[in-house]
């Protein structure tokens, strides 16, 4: 009988990794590729609010769009401090669905029907369930999903938009407006600043990005949220620095004034907001700082019961 010494035991243990190494290797798990959720839902009082990701893309050379009045060195330094590259940006296109309990409302429609309908269906809705489509302004990435080849995407919907905005694009010759929005004019109700789109949804003038750009304030059971649309188009290069000029702002001075006014309101009221181009799920808060503002992405605030 062989006596097992402590040395024998240690040697036997050391051999175990070698034994394991000769086992047949299993196939590695396949790479799945990047993924992002297509919707985010929360409650605001008795309202149910769902942001849907209708599209996202990487865009090169962002200073051709943001910070037009800023030196490249300054743009690069601000980007580096925020831990984002200065030579590319990720764009997000985020319509919002609001169920008031009485009707289902869609705010803006994305670049084209396909992406918006796919995100809508992922969130559990079908296009024919939409009762009202509210258009914040007439840029193509907001009205692009309204129609395709003359067919309405939201066949049972009525439409709401700002009167100043519609009039500014009327007779402009813009192809997107002519093919997507004009055919719906007879089914559209036009609002002024302070008008109620539906109970609990109020138009807020946010002119500058376009001549009649509107934000919308949601209120339910003492809770409020601002659907900010495009008043600020990037959380660093626009929101944090509201005086940085943005290529797509029609009236850059008015757009900067609107940014400061709405950012001051959001910070003072500690109100959440949804920004159409904020990083998905596009929900956050604003903190006022000495020289500007800071975007605070929502964490679990809207999950608390």
């Amino acid at each position: 009988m062989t006596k097992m010494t402590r040395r024998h035991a240690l040697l036997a243990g050391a051999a175990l990794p070698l034994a394991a190494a000769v086992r047949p290797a299993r196939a590695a798990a396949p790479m799945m590729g990047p993924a992002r959720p297509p919707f985010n839902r929360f409650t605001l009082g008795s309202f149910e609010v769902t942001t849907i990701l209708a599209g996202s893309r990487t865009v090169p050379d962002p200073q051709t769009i943001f910070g037009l009045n800023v030196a490249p060195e300054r743009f690069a330094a601000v980007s580096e401090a925020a831990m984002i590259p200065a030579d590319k940006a990720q764009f997000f296109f985020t319509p919002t669905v609001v169920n008031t309990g009485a009707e289902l409302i869609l705010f803006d429609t994305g670049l084209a029907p396909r992406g918006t309908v796919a995100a809508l269906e992922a969130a559990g809705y079908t296009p024919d369930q939409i009762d009202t489509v509210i258009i914040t302004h007439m840029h193509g990435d907001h009205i692009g999903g309204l129609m395709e080849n003359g067919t309405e995407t939201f066949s049972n919907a009525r439409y709401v938009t700002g009167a100043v905005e519609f009039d500014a694009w009327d007779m402009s010759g813009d192809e997107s407006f002519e093919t997507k929005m004009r055919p719906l004019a007879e089914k559209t109700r036009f609002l002024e600043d302070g008008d109620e789109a539906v109970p609990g949804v109020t138009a807020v003038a946010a002119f500058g990005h376009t001549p009649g750009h509107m934000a919308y304030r949601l209120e339910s059971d003492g809770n409020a949220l601002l659907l900010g649309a495009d008043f600020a188009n990037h959380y660093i290069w626009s929101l944090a620095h509201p005086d940085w000029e943005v290529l797509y702002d029609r009236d850059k001075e008015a757009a900067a004034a609107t940014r400061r006014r709405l950012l001051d309101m959001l910070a003072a009221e500690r109100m959440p907001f949804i920004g159409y181009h904020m990083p998905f799920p596009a929900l956050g808060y604003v903190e006022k700082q000495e020289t500007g503002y800071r975007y605070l992405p929502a964490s679990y605030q809207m999950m608390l019961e």
Side-chain angles (χ1 to χ4, degrees):
M1 180 176 180
T2 303
K3 183 178 180 182
M4 175 68 78
T5 65
R6 183 171 181 274
R7 183 171 63 86
H8 289 139
L10 290 173
L11 289 171
L16 288 176
L18 296 175
V22 300
R23 291 184 200 157
R26 290 183 296 175
M31 296 291 184
M32 302 298 289
R36 57 182 67 89
F39 73 95
N40 179 60
R41 181 175 294 125
F42 58 91
T43 57
L44 183 80
S46 59
F47 288 0
E48 200 169 67
V49 181
T50 307
T51 58
I52 60 171
L53 185 60
S56 183
R57 65 172 181 244
T58 302
V59 176
D61 301 320
Q63 206 184 357
T64 62
I65 300 172
F66 300 101
L68 302 183
N69 56 337
V70 176
E73 296 79 10
R74 170 71 172 152
F75 188 88
V78 166
S79 302
E80 182 179 8
M83 298 187 183
I84 55 176
D87 63 346
K88 63 181 68 174
Q90 191 69 24
F91 278 22
F92 303 87
F93 304 89
T94 310
T96 297
V97 181
V98 177
N99 189 341
T100 68
E103 61 181 301
L104 195 64
I105 308 165
L106 176 65
F107 290 83
D108 292 330
T109 67
L111 290 153
R114 182 177 178 180
T116 302
V117 169
L120 195 65
E121 291 179 344
Y125 304 114
T126 57
D128 60 355
Q129 287 181 292
I130 300 297
D131 298 299
T132 301
V133 176
I134 297 179
I135 298 297
T136 62
H137 64 293
M138 304 296 172
H139 277 161
D141 57 329
H142 294 256
I143 65 173
L146 282 170
M147 302 186 76
E148 190 163 53
N149 299 322
T151 300
E152 291 181 51
T153 307
F154 310 101
S155 56
N156 296 320
R158 54 189 176 275
Y159 303 89
V160 175
T161 196
V164 173
E165 181 72 356
F166 188 93
D167 290 347
W169 290 82
D170 190 24
M171 304 303 291
S172 68
D174 181 82
E175 181 180 357
S176 183
F177 175 84
E178 293 297 330
T179 59
K180 303 283 188 173
M181 191 71 226
R182 184 182 294 285
L184 303 173
E186 292 185 1
K187 299 176 65 174
T188 300
R189 184 161 69 93
F190 301 100
L191 303 182
E192 303 289 349
D193 180 32
D195 286 348
E196 193 173 65
V198 301
V201 178
T202 304
V204 178
F207 302 168
H209 179 63
T210 58
H213 178 276
M214 285 284 197
Y216 287 86
R217 184 182 179 112
L218 308 183
E219 292 191 73
S220 176
D221 300 335
N223 300 279
L225 176 146
L226 186 75
L227 277 163
D230 283 16
F231 88 96
N233 280 342
H234 191 276
Y235 74 109
I236 298 296
W237 303 322
S238 182
L239 185 153
H241 300 275
D243 295 322
W244 284 19
E245 292 183 355
V246 179
L247 176 66
Y248 299 119
D249 288 344
R250 181 85 64 88
D251 184 329
K252 292 174 174 48
E253 184 177 349
T258 288
R259 274 193 286 278
R260 288 192 171 276
R261 173 172 58 85
L262 293 183
L263 291 169
D264 283 343
M265 180 195 74
L266 290 168
E269 296 190 30
R270 300 172 67 88
M271 185 195 306
F273 83 102
I274 293 170
Y276 192 79
H277 296 292
M278 292 296 113
F280 194 77
L283 175 68
Y285 297 82
V286 174
E287 178 185 46
K288 190 169 184 178
Q289 300 185 314
E290 287 186 12
T291 59
Y293 303 83
R294 184 162 74 105
Y295 179 63
L296 301 172
S299 56
Y300 55 73
Q301 296 96 330
M302 309 306 284
M303 297 173 63
L304 299 172
E305 298 179 0

